[in-house]
Amino acid sequence: MPKLTFPGGALIGCSAGFVNVPRIKGSHNAVLSGILAADKLAEAIAAGRANDEVTGIETEWRDGLIGKDLKKVRNVKPLWSKFGTVIGVGLGGLDMWTNELFGFSLFGTLKHGKTDAASLEPASKHKPINYPKPDGVLTFDRLSSVFLSNTNHEEDQPVHLKVKDMGLQKRSEHDVFAGPSTRYCPAGVYEWREQDGEETYVINAQNCVHCKTCDIKDPNQNINWVPPQGGEGPVYPNM
Ligand code: SF4
């Protein structure tokens, strides 16, 4: 977990990493962390404090419902990443049971060992996977789903996905890693398109759903996600 508090603000919900991975659910912890932050902020305001660090959030979340919920599942994703789906998920299940029944883990607290960006390997080490085309009944293409989610940005706003070095993106992301951004981005923002005989990196920033995967997964850490227009996000009219 990152440090949650800083002068004048705090990370809560998904931005703090409060998703319970085996349950694929984080909304309960997002609500609880919002309540904790509001309680601590109200206490600080009542005490006449301003612009300082509300450290009570940092010290109390681990002992509360969020900490209890996440402590039991802390090793599931590291085990899954290390040992693969069949063995890793099985070990993760065993670990959750020992945590639940006996209050301890045989593994202690595991770490991932490397970043998501460092875990990517060159395409030459792997065979391409040919996924079946979406059938429009049970499976759907990404852009149709982005359209249904009704997210949008102002069309003429500055691009908030900054590629630091376009040459590196072509030499490495495209030539060595076979353009993973065209697959990991859930909104189909990135495309390698042939234009005038050259592969060109196209960024459809207005489709971005702000998951920040590109910021952490790009193998060269060459993509920097920034909040659009000083903090604006996609418009989610259905939320
Ligand atoms: S933040 Fe997520 S949705 Fe937006 S461009 Fe990056 S990967 Fe795609």
Side-chain angles (χ1 to χ4, degrees):
M1 286 295 167
K3 181 171 178 289
L4 299 186
T5 53
F6 49 90
L11 298 174
I12 59 172
C14 289
S15 58
F18 284 154
V19 175
N20 182 319
V21 171
R23 292 173 76 188
I24 323 177
K25 181 167 178 278
S27 49
H28 58 317
N29 287 337
V31 172
L32 289 168
S33 63
I35 294 171
L36 176 65
D39 284 346
K40 294 294 145 195
L41 286 172
E43 279 173 21
I45 291 168
R49 290 164 50 197
N51 304 321
D52 63 349
E53 207 171 311
V54 185
T55 51
I57 300 170
E58 186 73 47
T59 51
E60 289 188 28
W61 77 265
R62 283 177 198 274
D63 296 328
L65 292 171
I66 304 171
K68 290 194 177 99
D69 180 55
L70 294 183
K71 187 156 190 227
K72 286 185 246 174
V73 301
R74 67 193 182 281
N75 289 328
V76 172
K77 189 64 179 78
L79 286 167
W80 184 358
S81 300
K82 202 170 167 62
F83 296 106
T85 302
V86 177
I87 298 173
V89 171
L91 287 172
L94 174 73
D95 190 59
M96 282 192 288
W97 274 112
T98 58
N99 273 288
E100 182 71 37
L101 296 176
F102 310 114
F104 79 98
S105 165
L106 297 168
F107 301 101
T109 297
L110 297 173
K111 291 183 185 296
H112 284 277
K114 57 185 168 187
T115 64
D116 276 343
S119 69
L120 271 185
E121 293 181 338
S124 58
K125 290 184 154 187
H126 299 273
K127 285 196 188 125
I129 303 172
N130 286 319
Y131 293 102
K133 284 211 173 348
D135 61 12
V137 180
L138 286 176
T139 54
F140 302 90
D141 66 279
R142 278 180 292 181
L143 288 184
S144 307
S145 300
V146 173
F147 175 74
L148 287 178
S149 75
N150 243 341
T151 52
N152 63 70
H153 295 81
E154 283 177 35
E155 291 290 328
D156 58 351
Q157 70 175 222
V159 173
H160 67 287
L161 303 152
K162 314 274 183 200
V163 178
K164 292 177 221 159
D165 180 345
M166 271 298 179
L168 176 63
Q169 205 65 1
K170 169 72 176 65
R171 282 193 311 279
S172 180
E173 210 262 356
H174 179 274
D175 294 354
V176 178
F177 292 94
S181 58
T182 60
R183 295 183 293 281
Y184 64 60
C185 172
V189 167
Y190 299 103
E191 293 176 77
W192 281 103
R193 244 192 247 161
E194 202 185 307
Q195 282 177 357
D196 302 326
E198 278 193 18
E199 288 292 320
T200 308
Y201 203 42
V202 177
I203 304 175
N204 304 296
Q206 71 278 8
N207 285 355
C208 176
V209 294
H210 293 208
C211 68
K212 286 198 79 181
T213 305
C214 51
D215 194 284
I216 62 171
K217 192 67 182 170
D218 179 75
N220 304 295
Q221 293 286 274
N222 194 28
I223 301 177
N224 191 24
W225 176 97
V226 298
Q229 307 204 107
E232 187 189 84
V235 180
Y236 283 105
N238 298 332
M239 283 181 85

